[in-house]
């Protein structure tokens, strides 16, 4: 009897992880979108030639970085209500597509204003945090499995921060070796 209960719990855990793996993949996109620019955003702003003052460049880099989180904070309630109306999956897919479009727009931004708008657009279209928490609550119905389920999302966030910031740090300097027109288009100076 105890062995059957233990086997049933293991099977339920495997099903639970399979259901939440999609949520984890959606969750990792936000730290990638948010943190991957940190290693090179200063140099990107510097390449816009807005100012020669290092403090002003750092200020503009901070404005670009914070525009994502401020817009995400501002739009979070909207996406929560929208997911109640049209469903969780469509909202999560819209968030992923919006994040992808905004990252491409940010990568090809020719000036500071375009970069800030692209980052704000990315934050505005990425209301996935609250929707994912609700999705996890709907997937995990057994109380004893909820602590494990809710611990996966912060783990995925930290994984995204650790790995993708490192990729930005590695690839940022490599972009300086590209031929002139492509390097100019990618705004790496």
């Amino acid at each position: 009897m105890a062995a059957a209960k233990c086997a049933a719990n293991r099977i339920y855990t495997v099903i639970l992880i399979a259901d939440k793996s999609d949520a984890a993949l959606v969750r990792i996109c936000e730290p990638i979108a948010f943190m991957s620019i940190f290693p090179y955003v200063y140099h990107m702003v510097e390449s816009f030639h807005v100012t020669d003052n290092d403090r002003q460049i750092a200020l503009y880099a901070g404005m670009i970085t914070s525009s994502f989180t401020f817009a995400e904070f501002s739009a979070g309630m909207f996406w929560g209500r929208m997911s109640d109306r049209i469903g969780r999956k469509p909202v999560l897919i819209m968030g992923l597509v919006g994040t992808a479009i905004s990252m491409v727009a940010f990568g090809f931004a020719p000036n500071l204003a375009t970069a800030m708008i692209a980052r704000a657009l990315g934050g505005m279209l990425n209301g996935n945090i609250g929707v994912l928490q609700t999705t996890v609550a709907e997937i995990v119905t057994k109380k004893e499995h909820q602590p494990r389920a809710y611990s996966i999302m912060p783990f995925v966030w930290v994984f995204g921060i650790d790995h993708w910031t490192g990729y930005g740090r590695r690839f940022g300097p490599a972009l300086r070796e590209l031929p002139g027109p492509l390097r100019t288009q990618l705004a790496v100076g």
Side-chain angles (χ1 to χ4, degrees):
M1 178 75 174
K5 185 177 179 181
C6 185
N9 275 342
R10 284 192 185 129
I11 290 171
Y12 181 78
T13 301
V14 168
I15 291 170
L16 177 72
I17 290 171
D19 280 348
K20 284 196 327 277
S21 65
D22 292 340
L25 288 173
V26 171
R27 182 66 177 120
I28 200 168
C29 289
E30 192 209 352
I32 291 169
F34 178 62
M35 301 289 287
S36 65
I37 72 161
F38 282 14
Y40 60 83
V41 69
Y42 178 88
H43 300 292
M44 185 176 185
V45 172
E46 187 178 41
S47 75
F48 294 149
H49 304 292
V50 178
T51 182
D52 290 334
N53 184 341
D54 288 345
R55 289 178 180 233
Q56 289 294 317
I57 292 171
L59 174 73
Y60 293 138
M63 288 170 58
I64 287 174
T65 303
S66 62
S67 65
F68 181 91
T69 53
F70 183 72
E72 186 177 33
F73 163 75
S74 300
M77 296 294 284
F78 167 79
W79 288 115
R81 280 191 223 111
M82 185 63 76
S83 73
D84 289 341
R85 279 191 217 132
I86 65 172
R88 311 280 182 243
K89 274 188 181 176
V91 169
L92 293 174
I93 290 170
M94 282 189 276
L96 290 173
V97 170
T99 300
I101 291 170
S102 72
M103 289 301 290
V104 170
F106 177 75
F108 288 103
N111 55 40
L112 180 65
T114 306
M116 285 188 63
I117 290 169
R119 290 294 287 173
L121 182 68
M124 228 181 309
L125 295 175
N126 189 8
N128 291 343
I129 296 173
V131 177
L132 277 173
Q133 291 292 350
T134 306
T135 303
V136 170
E138 291 171 349
I139 290 172
V140 182
T141 56
K142 291 188 177 184
K143 286 279 189 197
E144 63 267 13
H145 295 291
Q146 286 180 347
R148 182 181 294 174
Y150 282 110
S151 68
I152 290 174
M153 294 302 135
F155 171 76
V156 171
W157 168 266
V158 172
F159 182 81
I161 289 172
D162 287 346
H163 287 77
W164 291 99
T165 303
Y167 288 124
R169 192 170 38 249
R170 280 188 211 104
F171 293 132
L175 292 176
R176 293 187 186 277
E177 304 302 320
L178 292 173
L182 188 56
R183 181 176 61 236
T184 304
Q185 197 60 328
L186 293 175
V188 292

